[in-house]
Amino acid sequence: MFPRPAPGLRLATATGLLALVGSLTTGAWADPHARTPPLSPVAALKPAAARITHVSSAAGATTPLAGYAVQSTAKVGDSPAAVSSPGYPARGWYPAGPRSTVLAALLAAGVYDDPFRSTNLAKIPKADFEVPWWYRSDFTVADTTRRTLLDFSGVVSAADVYVNGHQVATARDVTGAYTHHELDVTALVRPGVNTVAFRVRPNEPSKDLTTGWLDWLQPPPDRNMGIVRDVLVRRGGPVALRDAHVVTKLAVPSLSAADLTVRARVRNDSGTAVTAEITGSVGGTRLRRTIRLAAHETRTVAFSPADAPGLHLTAPKVWWPAGMGGQPLYALDLTARVSGTTSDTAHQDFGIRDVRAPLNSAGARQYGINGRPLLIKGGGWSPDEFLRWDRVYAEDRLRYAVDLGLNTLRLEGHLEPDEFFGLADRLGVLTLPGWECCDKWEGQVNGTENGERWAPADYPVAKASMAAEAARLRDHPSVISFLIGSDFAPDARIEKNYLDALRAADWDLPVVPAASDKSSPRLGRSGMKMTGPYDWVPPNYWYAKREGGATGFNSETSAGPSIPTLDTLHRMLTPAELDTLWQDPKARQYHRSPSDTFGTLSLYDEALAARYGAPTGLTDYVRKAQLAQYENVRAQFEAYGRNATDRTDPATGVVHWMFNSGWTSLHWQLTDRYLDQGGAYFGAKKANEPLHIQYSYDDRSVAVVNNRHTAEQDLTARATLYDTDGSPRYDRTVTGVSVPGDGAHSTPLILPSSVAGLSGTRLLRLVLSDAAGREVSRNVYWLSDEPDVLDWQRTTWWYTPTTGYADLTGLASMARVPVAATATTRSVAGTSTTTVTLRNTTDGLTPSLLTDVHLVDGRGAPVLPVRWSDNEVGLWPGESVTLTAVYRTADLHGAAPRVRVSGWNTPERTVPAT
């Protein structure tokens, strides 16, 4: 994250026995699409005593436990042997999903009120989670002739493990959210019902290598203690296949060939020597190998083009990020047989791509994929606060990232389950996983920040965590790096352990020592910067080539607060809290941050009032907030986009802090917890258009940025300046504009420093047309004679003070203009598309500014998620625009769709969209 005095949390690990299978997060998910978020799960949990997992007897089967019964040890007086024995009466225990923190289970059971509303979260007693909790699950086994193993990671923070009344592991062994464990329980398993029980220890991120929340949100009272990845019951014969993976080497830049190397560990779990036949297939090539294994011996089997020529692929199907190409995946399948009988199987999907990230001449980390340069345009990812996993909800957010034109999501800790990375693979979203700051993960190197210094036992836990995550993530083409540090780089001992673990896992991707400008002994400089800001700065800040401005790779930064829509605010705050929100800038805002630094909205509110005028009510406050967030987020991405191909000190990457929030938040989000969209969302979407015309706050230039691979020719750029009443004062058209591809830009014109007759607040309309005269990009700015003035000498780690503000108060004088709207809807195979045509019908000259369209149901509630072709548009008199919205038909909940049209100076109205 970043240096800050706020309390932090962290992650833990334990020494695992083998390789890894994982899936993060947890049980009941509150429906993000309902008007009032329920606390019941999507699929109702069965009574605790009835949640029995039926385990397959097939060799190679991996069956996840279906769920648990959970209870505090303070309320259980029985012995561990009794609790972990079949038939134990778990009366009064709470049902939990297969991946569930303690608090997630209690929320699903309705024990507490909606934690995302008001200050309900603060009312949950922390003392209830300061003792261990039992997790108990029953499973049935029909055939005990096969071996049975428990395979898991994701215990937060540590656990004693029992099976059928016997302890099989201690919390000293099973410690850490990311360590992987495989326990052979064959000797304890009986035909019929069996029981596994975990006595999970409380989580303390400052002391354990686990997970924490820093200052993103108010931390959960249970600190996410629980089991947040699947616990798998593995079945097999005498020989086990583990760690099956494919190392790819792509010919760059031709992309004409790729070499595949297949590796897997083959382990003899029996007490006698065996001969194993290993067969399989990958990319249409058949594989076969016979090996002899001594009792309990493990060997690595490898296949390469040298012994399997088919592993040299010609014209391979290459994986690309979204917008750069397709996302084809290959599959590896292996089978181990002993005496002709299947003993175990393994499967792994993978992609073929080449990722490089050297330091450029300016010392910045410069990513490239498949031989093409890549400007990282990203956001910081947050899981649900209670680590509840919902695949549909995760996919919705990933699709939003693609919709915004982002190519990367950074995961600082909170490394999501396998399904997340599988979705990212299929959708073409790159990921930057890494360890988190401000807790035990960096406690050895972070000086005065939170996190205890490491004890001898922490080093093997950290190394085991790195080994497990490397093995889990390496085959996902969406993963392009691992950041082994965040605010601080590891010291020599920690770095060596990490690098040794990565090397042993065949990790062939860039390893970055830190997300800040730090160095480690072997890797050297990070090539990244963490200079902020994290609180409000004006749009012109991003164009200064210093601090957080558009140069180098900024791993986490934004202008801080992001006030959600009125619809979301009414869901998350009480009427009294809503009054305080717009009336008292110095009030502590529970839904901003637990940090003293970010506890209020004072910087943001001061700027909002100074630039746009003091708010006259809640609606006016939110209206001005959306305008401000649109211009600021747009400027952040536009500045980095324009500077990506500078000859000296270019911009190489920017991660908006953050992409989303894990709860109902007032800051650091491009989309809110309910997936509603406002100014921040559509400002980012506008800035990241494939072919984009934009204004530069530093030198008044108009640039055309081409994010497509191919060059564009014969474009026409037009810039027009207007008074706020719509009177045109300056108009210039430039034809024959050309711009190379891969993020290059051209500058067809520079606006004059002064225009006769133009008022202090003005509007700028930019239009880019292709050779056929079709409009391909439109951008509207609101500008001022008075610039925002930054006091660079008083810059802190979280912002640069503003001593003078742009005067945009003239926007308040804009006449209200009517916008006509017609809409129709077509539904096919569960997906609906609503087409909306807007038209400015005023008789005067005034445009409609930031005209917003929301798809709503019969009650007027937003239908979410939804992906718009464009939104929050500017329309001049007589102009019309057609927008499309794509969404799940089921999210209408049987209602007829309608569209609600509003804007800066447009009266709100709702029209049918049937």
Side-chain angles (χ1 to χ4, degrees):
M1 200 15 202
F2 49 78
R4 52 197 173 283
L9 298 177
R10 62 104 193 340
L11 298 93
T13 330
T15 47
L17 299 180
L18 282 173
L20 140 103
V21 172
S23 49
L24 196 75
T25 43
T26 153
W29 177 256
D31 179 6
H33 314 306
R35 185 172 178 82
T36 301
L39 291 172
S40 58
V42 171
L45 295 174
K46 296 179 180 179
R51 295 185 62 76
I52 297 178
T53 303
H54 301 286
V55 174
S56 171
S57 296
T62 55
T63 307
L65 294 179
Y68 304 91
V70 302
Q71 184 56 277
S72 169
T73 58
K75 297 182 179 181
V76 178
D78 299 309
S79 68
V83 170
S84 62
S85 293
Y88 176 78
R91 298 188 188 92
W93 289 40
Y94 300 99
R99 312 168 187 173
S100 181
T101 65
V102 171
L103 187 50
L106 298 180
L107 291 171
V111 175
Y112 305 113
D113 291 334
D114 178 5
F116 290 135
R117 181 167 175 80
S118 186
T119 57
N120 289 344
L121 185 67
K123 300 172 185 176
I124 300 174
K126 296 180 181 178
D128 290 352
F129 313 107
E130 293 175 354
V131 299
W133 277 65
W134 279 110
Y135 276 63
R136 186 184 185 283
S137 187
D138 291 332
F139 63 93
T140 62
V141 170
D143 178 7
T144 58
T145 62
R146 296 201 182 278
R147 305 199 71 80
T148 304
L149 304 98
L150 296 178
D151 184 315
F152 60 92
S153 63
V155 175
V156 182
S157 66
D160 302 293
V161 186
Y162 301 83
V163 172
N164 290 346
H166 299 271
Q167 186 168 13
V168 295
T170 70
R172 179 174 297 180
D173 301 315
V174 179
T175 179
Y178 299 113
T179 53
H180 173 254
H181 312 274
E182 190 173 61
L183 308 177
D184 191 333
V185 296
T186 304
L188 298 175
V189 170
R190 65 193 68 170
V193 178
N194 297 267
T195 299
V196 58
F198 294 80
R199 185 166 57 190
V200 179
R201 305 282 181 91
N203 183 31
E204 178 44 71
S206 289
K207 298 179 180 179
D208 309 316
L209 290 165
T210 58
T211 63
W213 279 104
L214 313 172
D215 47 11
W216 305 358
L217 43 68
Q218 297 291 346
D222 71 338
R223 293 172 291 190
N224 290 146
M225 72 181 296
I227 302 175
V228 298
R229 294 183 178 176
D230 285 338
V231 174
L232 303 173
V233 182
R234 285 184 175 269
R235 307 302 306 283
V239 170
L241 283 173
R242 296 292 184 268
D243 205 30
H245 62 283
V246 181
V247 180
T248 66
K249 186 169 184 177
L250 177 65
V252 174
S254 69
L255 311 185
S256 60
D259 287 337
L260 310 183
T261 299
V262 176
R263 292 195 180 99
R265 285 188 291 113
V266 186
R267 187 184 70 219
N268 181 5
D269 285 335
S270 73
T272 61
V274 297
T275 297
E277 183 184 40
I278 311 301
T279 60
S281 65
V282 60
T285 297
R286 307 297 299 178
L287 307 173
R288 182 179 297 274
R289 183 74 49 79
T290 299
I291 60 173
R292 180 76 173 170
L293 295 169
H296 303 295
E297 181 186 5
T298 299
R299 291 174 56 186
T300 296
V301 61
F303 303 91
S304 71
D307 50 60
L311 295 180
H312 176 78
L313 305 183
T314 57
K317 294 178 287 185
V318 177
W319 188 96
W320 291 94
M324 297 180 72
Q327 294 79 45
L329 295 175
Y330 288 81
L332 166 68
D333 288 286
L334 293 176
T335 299
R337 292 182 177 85
V338 177
S339 301
T341 300
T342 298
S343 181
D344 203 1
T345 62
H347 173 86
Q348 183 64 56
D349 292 328
F350 66 97
I352 297 175
R353 52 90 177 92
D354 177 89
V355 178
R356 301 180 190 183
L359 301 185
N360 64 15
S361 59
R365 186 73 56 176
Q366 175 66 71
Y367 280 84
I369 188 161
N370 302 333
R372 293 191 201 170
L374 181 69
L375 171 67
I376 297 293
K377 295 183 291 184
W381 175 268
S382 174
D384 169 63
E385 175 166 6
F386 310 111
L387 302 187
R388 296 171 293 190
W389 172 254
D390 182 291
R391 186 187 183 282
V392 173
Y393 186 61
E395 182 173 352
D396 288 340
R397 287 176 287 167
L398 287 168
R399 289 189 182 278
Y400 268 16
V402 175
D403 182 56
L404 287 177
L406 303 182
N407 54 33
T408 305
L409 294 171
R410 180 183 166 210
L411 287 74
E412 185 190 2
H414 300 287
L415 305 182
E416 292 276 36
D418 291 343
E419 295 97 319
F420 172 87
F421 295 98
L423 287 169
D425 293 342
R426 289 187 284 279
L427 295 175
V429 180
L430 301 173
T431 62
L432 288 173
W435 305 129
E436 68 188 52
C437 85
C438 313
D439 54 30
K440 187 60 173 284
W441 281 104
E442 294 185 349
Q444 188 67 15
V445 295
N446 69 5
T448 60
E449 292 187 22
N450 294 315
E452 292 185 357
R453 293 183 67 82
W454 286 22
D458 293 315
Y459 292 90
V461 170
K463 184 176 182 179
S465 299
M466 188 72 265
E469 288 305 292
R472 187 170 75 95
L473 300 177
R474 65 193 163 199
D475 278 319
H476 288 285
S478 58
V479 177
I480 58 168
S481 268
F482 200 94
L483 280 68
I484 58 174
S486 180
D487 293 21
F488 295 89
D491 62 20
R493 181 180 178 185
I494 298 172
E495 181 193 38
K496 182 180 185 304
N497 283 340
Y498 286 155
L499 295 181
D500 287 350
L502 287 162
R503 186 182 306 105
D506 285 334
W507 186 268
D508 62 351
L509 296 167
V511 181
V512 182
S516 62
D517 185 14
K518 301 291 183 181
S519 300
S520 61
R522 292 170 62 179
L523 293 174
R525 289 189 57 188
S526 70
M528 294 191 173
K529 65 179 183 178
M530 193 184 285
T531 49
Y534 301 96
D535 212 328
W536 192 86
V537 291
N540 63 343
Y541 174 98
W542 304 106
Y543 284 86
K545 280 201 164 187
R546 56 180 297 173
E547 310 300 339
T551 179
F553 194 121
N554 199 337
S555 66
E556 47 181 60
T557 186
S558 74
S562 184
I563 305 302
T565 64
L566 269 174
D567 297 288
T568 291
L569 285 172
H570 282 296
R571 294 171 73 168
M572 62 187 272
L573 300 177
T574 66
E577 290 166 339
L578 291 172
D579 286 341
T580 299
L581 176 65
W582 73 270
Q583 292 177 351
D584 188 357
K586 295 183 179 180
R588 291 285 301 190
Q589 294 292 343
Y590 186 73
H591 285 262
R592 186 164 187 212
S593 172
S595 164
D596 289 337
T597 304
F598 305 115
T600 75
L601 291 166
S602 57
L603 289 175
Y604 177 86
D605 286 352
E606 178 184 349
L608 200 68
R611 299 174 90 244
Y612 291 102
T616 59
L618 176 64
T619 300
D620 186 55
Y621 176 79
V622 175
R623 166 176 165 261
K624 289 172 176 172
Q626 302 314 312
L627 201 68
Q629 288 153 199
Y630 187 104
E631 68 164 342
N632 214 317
V633 172
R634 175 178 60 179
Q636 178 177 341
F637 282 108
E638 284 182 339
Y640 273 82
R642 188 200 70 176
N643 289 358
T645 51
D646 281 8
R647 292 184 178 179
T648 60
D649 211 7
T652 62
V654 61
V655 177
H656 185 279
W657 206 250
M658 299 177 67
F659 168 68
N660 67 302
S661 181
W663 84 321
T664 42
S665 179
L666 296 171
H667 77 161
W668 295 347
Q669 57 189 355
L670 295 176
T671 179
D672 65 37
R673 189 258 169 186
Y674 303 109
L675 304 183
D676 206 353
Q677 305 148 319
Y681 186 97
F682 291 112
K685 182 177 173 68
K686 176 58 64 176
N688 294 319
E689 290 177 319
L691 185 61
H692 178 63
I693 189 168
Q694 65 185 61
Y695 169 76
S696 305
Y697 284 86
D698 58 341
D699 59 9
R700 305 185 312 282
S701 65
V702 173
V704 177
V705 179
N706 183 11
N707 293 306
R708 298 168 177 167
H709 181 50
T710 57
E712 296 288 340
Q713 308 287 338
D714 296 323
L715 301 173
T716 298
R718 182 181 181 185
T720 313
L721 284 166
Y722 300 85
D723 281 331
T724 53
D725 66 1
S727 299
R729 300 296 183 184
Y730 171 88
D731 189 24
R732 185 181 174 193
T733 299
V734 178
T735 60
V737 177
S738 62
V739 55
D742 290 332
H745 75 273
S746 65
T747 306
L749 63 98
I750 297 176
L751 297 181
S753 58
S754 63
V755 174
L758 195 61
S759 61
T761 304
R762 74 283 308 271
L763 300 174
L764 169 64
R765 179 178 63 173
L766 302 178
V767 177
L768 185 69
S769 303
D770 64 14
R774 293 183 295 263
E775 184 178 300
V776 293
S777 177
R778 169 185 289 225
N779 214 343
V780 178
Y781 294 81
W782 35 103
L783 304 171
S784 168
D785 275 343
E786 298 293 329
D788 293 295
V789 180
L790 289 149
D791 186 354
W792 294 105
Q793 300 307 312
R794 291 170 51 213
T795 296
T796 69
W797 63 265
W798 75 93
Y799 85 117
T800 297
T802 304
T803 57
Y805 294 99
D807 181 8
L808 299 171
T809 57
L811 296 176
S813 66
M814 292 180 69
R816 292 172 69 78
V817 297
V819 173
T822 58
T824 59
T825 299
R826 179 174 58 89
S827 300
V828 178
T831 297
S832 290
T833 301
T834 294
T835 301
V836 183
T837 299
L838 304 176
R839 184 178 181 84
N840 182 336
T841 58
T842 182
D843 293 331
L845 297 175
T846 306
S848 63
L849 183 62
L850 212 75
T851 307
D852 177 89
V853 186
H854 257 69
L855 185 76
V856 297
D857 62 16
R859 301 169 300 168
V863 177
L864 300 168
V866 60
R867 296 191 303 281
W868 287 94
S869 58
D870 195 5
N871 211 326
E872 300 197 339
V873 297
L875 288 173
W876 265 251
E879 286 186 337
S880 63
V881 64
T882 297
L883 312 175
T884 57
V886 180
Y887 53 98
R888 286 186 293 266
T889 306
D891 289 334
L892 287 167
H893 304 293
R898 302 188 298 163
V899 291
R900 184 180 69 207
V901 181
S902 61
W904 174 258
N905 59 326
T906 301
E908 182 178 309
R909 61 182 304 211
T910 301
V911 300
T914 53

